[in-house]
Amino acid sequence: MFSEHVQSRAEKRAETRQKVLAAAERLFREQGFGATTIRKIAAEAGVSTGTVMSVGDKDALLVAIFDIWIEAVHRERADGGPPASAGSGVDGVMALIEPFIRYFMLDEELSREYAAIVVRGVHESEIFRELADSLIAELAGALGRAGLAEADADRGARVVYFAYLGILMNIAHGTVRESEAVDQLREVIGFAIARGGGEA
């Protein structure tokens, strides 16, 4: 009986968190990050400002929104394997990365805010921890399918991952367009495969 009560409280907290994050994302995209206040998020979610703050301040909410979306992509892949469009070589690796590039390009202001928050280091993002491990493992698998030995695929995955992070930051700051970002990543991936002796 006690565990049922605790479980229902935990479920209620998770439901409230989801409601707050959904309201925050709607307002961030419709009104802009700067114009959105905690009070507006509370009103949109139908909760108190204290409840919103228990989920996080604006910066923490934005980081959580990005992290949840990125995690969902990885979880979907884990359930169904590599993307259907994943071939081998550069195309196979790009199929893993392109969804993230497209997501960052959806709203440059929000991507810029997210990048600034992450760089300041006040709010940690899973993009540097568990989500990084997930993507690096996916990249290593794709590089292995391109013909790289395991050690080379692991090293190549890290090279591609760090290039990807740098390119995402440039996208967020508006210094790289989507087509340029894709071309630059394709070059890095091709280089990593060629250096490892695989088939580009």
Side-chain angles (χ1 to χ4, degrees), residues 155-174:
R155 280 193 292 272
R158 283 178 176 72
V159 168
V160 171
Y161 171 75
F162 287 116
Y164 149 79
L165 278 185
I167 289 170
L168 282 188
M169 293 299 148
N170 278 291
I171 289 170
H173 289 289

Side-chain angles (χ1 to χ4, degrees), residues 37-56:
T37 64
I38 293 294
R39 285 185 196 279
K40 287 180 181 178
I41 294 168
E44 179 77 10
V47 298
S48 70
T49 56
T51 298
V52 173
M53 289 303 293
S54 73
V55 177

